[in-house]
Amino acid sequence: MKRLFRPALLTAMCLSLFAAPAEAAYKKEYKLSVVPSATSGWGLSATYFAEQVKKRTDGRINIKVYPGAQLMAGKQTSELLLVRNGSIDFALASTINWSPQVKELNLTALPFFVANNPDRYKAMDAIEAGKSGQMLIKAVEKTKVKFIGWGENGFRELTTSKGPISKPADMSGMKLRVCGTPIFIDIFSALGTNPQAINWSEAVTGFQQGIVDGQENPTNGINIPLQVWTWHKYHTDWHYMIDPLLLTSNQKVWNDFSAADKKILEECAKDMEKYSKALSRLGFDDGSSLEYLKSINMVPAVTDPYKTIAEKGMNVTKFTPEMIKEFYDATQSVRDKWTKEIGADLVKAAEADMKAAH
Ligand code: X2X
């Protein structure tokens, strides 16, 4: 008995020695932060990622999405700090909310910088795939936060209770809600408006009470799920900037995953990127977003955003390249000032990436 028992016990001890540390390092739940609601394109993208991870790791990695900026009590520009210190495990974060700490992330917020290209989506993809994208990732990782992949909130369009808007003078004196990121104050001041920095968690109250005349957010990602027509009748499609999303994690949380699980997380991030971009671009591209969403059986209720917002009584102004150029010229001083903040090298690299893609 004794002789038989000993080797078995030894084997069990050895096995537990090898198996235990990896298992023990995993948390029961990983918190993933998202600023807007669960029904926003951004919230749906986060949920998609969490579900894919759970499925492909057989439940070993359990990520729970916390929407509504609840992990930072509404203060969206604190998110990076909380991911860095480990209060938040993962974030699907907007460059806008992290740019106060990472100056380089103001790149795609340079007014009309991406939109002033023949194909704005191609231009965005070219930045992410190019040298400038690598520079952005490096800047994020310099803060000791792990970058896992890209997502997309979308091009930010203007919604207002007054309008329509087709030239800068039409916006004169309007009180507009923006998030608390400095470049926004500069852009909207240059356009002659009166920008109000309000956290997203309090913005809807501001719309309800008529404290502001409008706001800017992506059509599919935010404006439609929010039913922005409840307060604003004018939708100005000027594509003035784009809001890429950064799927990130706390560095230690990342380091503690096994090599095989890191690979799975990266694969799930790639799939999330495709899903997130398709949600953001649906109805604004050549139809490939709809085809992709069909192929993964994830077509949302609204597939024709222009039809939906028109049915809800919104007046839509679609900017022509000439109109974009007029606004581009009106915001030159902002690009000049912020190119210095971002770094002229990075801005030049992005210009070259966008040009090469066309
Ligand atoms: O605050 C916003 O407008 C939002 C939800 O789009 C961001 O978090 C950048």
Side-chain angles (χ1 to χ4, degrees):
M1 254 323 259
K2 247 184 176 175
R3 244 189 243 153
L4 274 176
F5 175 71
R6 264 203 214 126
L9 185 66
L10 268 178
T11 313
M13 279 171 66
C14 286
L15 277 178
S16 68
L17 263 181
F18 286 113
E23 292 288 321
Y26 283 29
K27 297 188 185 185
K28 276 210 177 89
E29 177 195 291
Y30 292 92
K31 292 182 166 56
L32 192 160
S33 170
V34 165
V35 168
S37 75
T39 55
S40 63
W42 183 343
L44 295 174
S45 302
T47 300
Y48 185 73
F49 174 69
E51 280 171 358
Q52 294 296 318
V53 171
K54 195 170 192 171
K55 205 160 83 189
R56 296 189 214 178
T57 60
D58 298 316
R60 274 195 311 284
I61 302 178
N62 174 35
I63 299 173
K64 186 169 174 212
V65 177
Y66 286 80
Q70 58 184 290
L71 298 177
M72 54 257 182
K75 198 158 182 314
Q76 58 203 72
T77 50
S78 310
E79 196 178 43
L80 164 60
L81 305 175
L82 296 176
V83 174
R84 184 158 61 197
N85 78 15
S87 310
I88 295 176
D89 301 307
F90 288 88
L92 184 56
S94 163
T95 51
I96 297 173
N97 293 327
W98 287 26
S99 58
Q101 290 95 14
V102 184
K103 290 275 183 279
E104 291 87 342
L105 293 178
N106 286 292
L107 178 75
T108 55
L110 281 175
F112 305 95
F113 179 69
V114 183
N116 198 32
N117 281 278
D119 183 329
R120 64 186 190 275
Y121 292 122
K122 225 184 212 178
M124 181 68 252
D125 291 342
I127 290 178
E128 287 165 354
K131 185 180 167 202
S132 52
Q134 288 308 312
M135 291 166 85
L136 290 175
I137 294 170
K138 222 173 164 184
V140 170
E141 294 203 323
K142 226 172 137 186
T143 69
K144 305 251 179 306
V145 161
K146 168 71 187 165
F147 171 90
I148 310 170
W150 295 104
E152 190 162 289
N153 189 23
F155 280 92
R156 299 176 73 92
E157 317 295 8
L158 193 61
T159 72
T160 47
S161 54
K162 301 172 181 165
I165 296 165
S166 58
K167 53 184 185 308
D170 296 334
M171 301 172 70
S172 177
M174 277 191 190
K175 244 182 166 181
L176 300 174
R177 178 269 164 181
V178 294
C179 63
T181 300
I183 193 171
F184 287 80
I185 303 291
D186 287 349
I187 298 169
F188 286 90
S189 300
L191 290 170
T193 71
N194 181 4
Q196 308 287 311
I198 304 174
N199 276 320
W200 186 241
S201 53
E202 285 155 21
V204 172
T205 314
F207 308 151
Q208 278 163 353
Q209 296 177 349
I211 291 169
V212 289
D213 305 312
Q215 61 97 38
E216 42 75 57
N217 253 300
T219 310
N220 288 341
I222 305 271
N223 293 342
I224 290 180
L226 185 68
Q227 305 196 331
V228 76
W229 46 80
T230 313
W231 314 286
H232 304 152
K233 293 292 171 230
Y234 297 93
H235 205 285
T236 307
D237 279 18
W238 61 346
H239 327 309
Y240 87 113
M241 59 154 290
I242 179 161
D243 194 6
L245 301 176
L246 311 156
L247 179 65
T248 46
S249 79
N250 171 271
Q251 189 63 57
K252 182 172 179 331
V253 164
W254 179 261
N255 294 347
D256 286 348
F257 289 128
S258 69
D261 282 340
K262 282 178 185 153
K263 200 161 163 264
I264 294 175
L265 286 161
E266 278 164 350
E267 282 163 11
C268 293
K270 286 232 154 49
D271 287 344
M272 184 278 290
E273 176 184 351
K274 284 194 253 171
Y275 173 62
S276 182
K277 284 187 172 172
L279 281 185
S280 145
R281 300 173 184 194
L282 182 62
F284 305 119
D285 66 0
D286 57 4
S288 47
S289 291
L290 181 60
E291 283 314 306
Y292 180 70
L293 291 165
K294 276 186 189 159
S295 77
I296 58 166
N297 208 14
M298 293 292 285
V299 179
V302 173
T303 55
D304 188 343
Y306 284 131
K307 187 164 164 255
T308 299
I309 56 181
E311 276 169 7
K312 298 297 180 186
M314 290 192 97
N315 172 306
V316 184
T317 306
K318 295 182 195 172
F319 271 32
T320 60
E322 293 71 36
M323 289 156 89
I324 289 176
K325 183 68 174 45
E326 193 182 345
F327 279 76
Y328 181 90
D329 292 342
T331 48
Q332 185 63 49
S333 62
V334 183
R335 285 190 306 282
D336 289 345
K337 173 180 168 186
W338 280 89
T339 293
K340 287 188 204 113
E341 298 272 336
I342 294 163
D345 284 1
L346 174 54
V347 175
K348 271 205 195 95
E351 276 166 348
D353 287 334
M354 291 191 291
K355 202 163 170 222
H358 282 89

